[in-house]
Amino acid sequence: MKRYHVTTFGCQMNEHDSERMKGMLDSLGYAEAPGRDQADLILFNTCSIREKADSRFVAHLGEAKRVKRERPEVIVGVGGCWAQSVKEEVFARFPFVDVAFGPGQVHKLAEFLVSDSLTAQGYFEFEGFTGHLPAKRAHGHHAWVQISVGCNCVCSYCIVPSTRGREVSRPAGELIAEVQGLAADGVREVTLLGQNVNSYGRDLPREQRTTFAELLRAVDAVDGIDRIRYTSPHPKDMREDVIRAHAELPALCEHIHLPLQSGSSPVLKRMRRTYTRERYLDRVAMIREHVPDCALTTDIIVGFPGETEAEFEQTVEVVEEVGYDGAFTFIYSPRRGTEAADLPDQVPHEIKVQRMQRLVEVVQRRAHDRASRFVGRTLDVLVEGPSRTDPSRLRGRSRHNKVVNFTGLGGPGELVDVEILEATSQTLSGQESILSRAAG
Ligand code: SAH
Ligand code: SF4
Ligand code: F3S
C-alpha cells in the first residue's frame, strides 16, 4: 500500500483543504505515513500570506529534497496558496517537485497520481470546491465546513484574492446536508469557513439566494450540532441580523472574530478596507448591545506603508477601547503583485518591531482584564484531550473560544461544566464541576 505525508501551513481553510486531500488519498487506497521518511508521496499545503510563511515552507521543502535524493521514486507535491502564487515557476526553482496545484485544483492531484506522466505537472485553474471531496477529519467532534471560496475584496496588502480567486458560495441546501451528515457522524461543533463569510450567498442564483444569517439559522436547526463558529467576517458586511443571531440561536457561540487591521481611518482607506474607525466601533457597540458577554477577537497589521506614529497610536486606542479577548498581530509584509507593496513610505523594520511590541503589551493587558470576568463562573467546555502543559489535566474550549485547562474526567468530544479558578491573557484554568456530573 502506498503512503502519503501532508504538512499544512496557513489558515483554517488550508487545514480544511488538507483534510480533504487526505480523504481523497484514502479513497485512492493510500494510507497516512507517520513521517516523510516513510512516505511515497510527500505533500505540502502552503500559505503565502506573509514572507515568513514562505521561508518556513522553503526550509521544509529542503527536507523533502533530501528524501527524494535517497529515494528517487518518491513523489513531491506542492499545493495551496504559495503554489498558486508562483505557478509553473515552482518547477524552475525546485526541480525535484513533481506536481504543483492551487487551492482550486486539489481534485487534479488524483488525476495526476493515476496518470503515466509523473513529472512536473502544474494545475492552477480556479474550479470546484475542496468541500466536495471526501474528508479525513482530525477531530471526531469538530468539523470545518467550507461555505465559500475566494474573495471579492481588494485589501491592498493581501495576496489571497490572487491565490483563491473570486468568491463563489456553495448552495445552502448542500451545506445543510453536509452538516446533517457530520452530526450523524458524531460532530458537535462546526466552523463555517470563508474568506468573507458574511458576504455568503450574494453570488448564488436568485432561487438559491440565502443570507449568512439565514444559513446560520438553518445550521442551528440541525439536531446534534451544539456549537457553531465561523471565520472570518468582514466588518463592512457585519449586519444586525448576524449579530442578533448570536443572541437568538442556542448553538451559535458567543465569540466574533472581527478583523480591525488598523484603528486609523486614513490607513484603513489606504488598505482599501472600505470602513472607517467610527463604523468599526459602531459594529462593536451593536455587538455589545445585543450580546453583552460576547468575546471579541481581531487581526491587526502594524507598519502598513505610510503608517505614522499618530496613526499607529489610533490603533492602540481602539485596542484599549474595545478590550479584545485576544488579537493576532502581524508586522506588515509586502506581497508580490499587491497594491501596497508598491506604495511609497514603507516603514523601516525596526519601527515595525517597536510598534508591534507596544501593541502586544496593550493587547495582552486588555485580554487579561477581559479573561478575569470568567473567574468564579462555571463555563460549558468542549473537551479536546489532555492539556498540552500537564497531561494529567484536560484541555478544552469554552463557547467564547477560550482554551481551558482543567482537572476532570470528561473524554474528548464531551461537553462538561468547568468552574474557572484562574485566568491569564491566553488561557483559563479550572476544575470540572463534579456536582453537574453527579446530577447528569
Ligand atoms: N479573509 C480573512 C483572513 C485574511 S488573512 C480576513 O479578511 O479576515 C489573515 C490576516 O493576515 C489578515 O486579517 C491580516 O491581518 C493578515 N495579513 C494579510 N496580509 C498581510 C500582509 N501582507 N502583511 C501582514 N499581515 C497580513
Ligand atoms: Fe484578504 Fe481582505 Fe479578502 Fe480578507 S477580505 S482575504 S484580508 S482581501
Ligand atoms: Fe490561508 Fe495563507 Fe492562503 S492564510 S488563504 S493559506 S495565503
Side-chain angles (χ1 to χ4, degrees), residues 9-11 13-14 46-49 81 159-160 163-164 195:
F9 302 90
C11 63
M13 194 61 97
N14 259 15
T46 61
C47 172
S48 208
I49 198 78
C81 288
I159 198 168
V160 174
T163 65
R164 299 256 172 191
Q195 297 305 331

Side-chain angles (χ1 to χ4, degrees), residues 177-235:
E178 184 170 324
V179 174
Q180 284 165 339
L182 290 167
D185 212 24
V187 168
R188 306 187 79 165
E189 176 176 310
V190 290
T191 305
L192 311 182
L193 293 179
Q195 297 305 331
N196 176 1
V197 285
N198 46 8
S199 69
Y200 166 81
R202 290 181 197 164
D203 58 303
L204 288 170
R206 187 175 291 276
E207 65 284 3
Q208 288 184 336
R209 203 159 297 163
T210 310
T211 65
F212 183 55
E214 287 163 350
L215 178 68
L216 288 172
R217 222 161 268 284
V219 175
D220 181 75
V222 175
D223 269 348
I225 298 298
D226 297 308
R227 288 181 171 191
I228 306 168
R229 303 184 187 282
Y230 58 82
T231 199
S232 289
H234 193 301

Side-chain angles (χ1 to χ4, degrees), residues 49-50 157-158 195 232 259 261 273 299-301 330-333 335:
I49 198 78
R50 287 167 290 275
Y157 50 81
C158 184
Q195 297 305 331
S232 289
Q261 312 303 359
R273 290 290 285 176
D299 291 346
I300 298 170
I301 298 176
F330 307 107
I331 285 186
Y332 168 72
S333 169
R335 302 286 60 205

Side-chain angles (χ1 to χ4, degrees), residues 348-365:
H349 186 69
E350 317 80 71
I351 295 189
K352 287 181 184 167
V353 172
Q354 263 177 30
R355 287 182 186 167
M356 178 75 156
Q357 284 166 349
R358 281 162 60 196
L359 181 66
V360 166
E361 191 274 320
V362 182
V363 163
Q364 287 182 348
R365 178 165 45 74

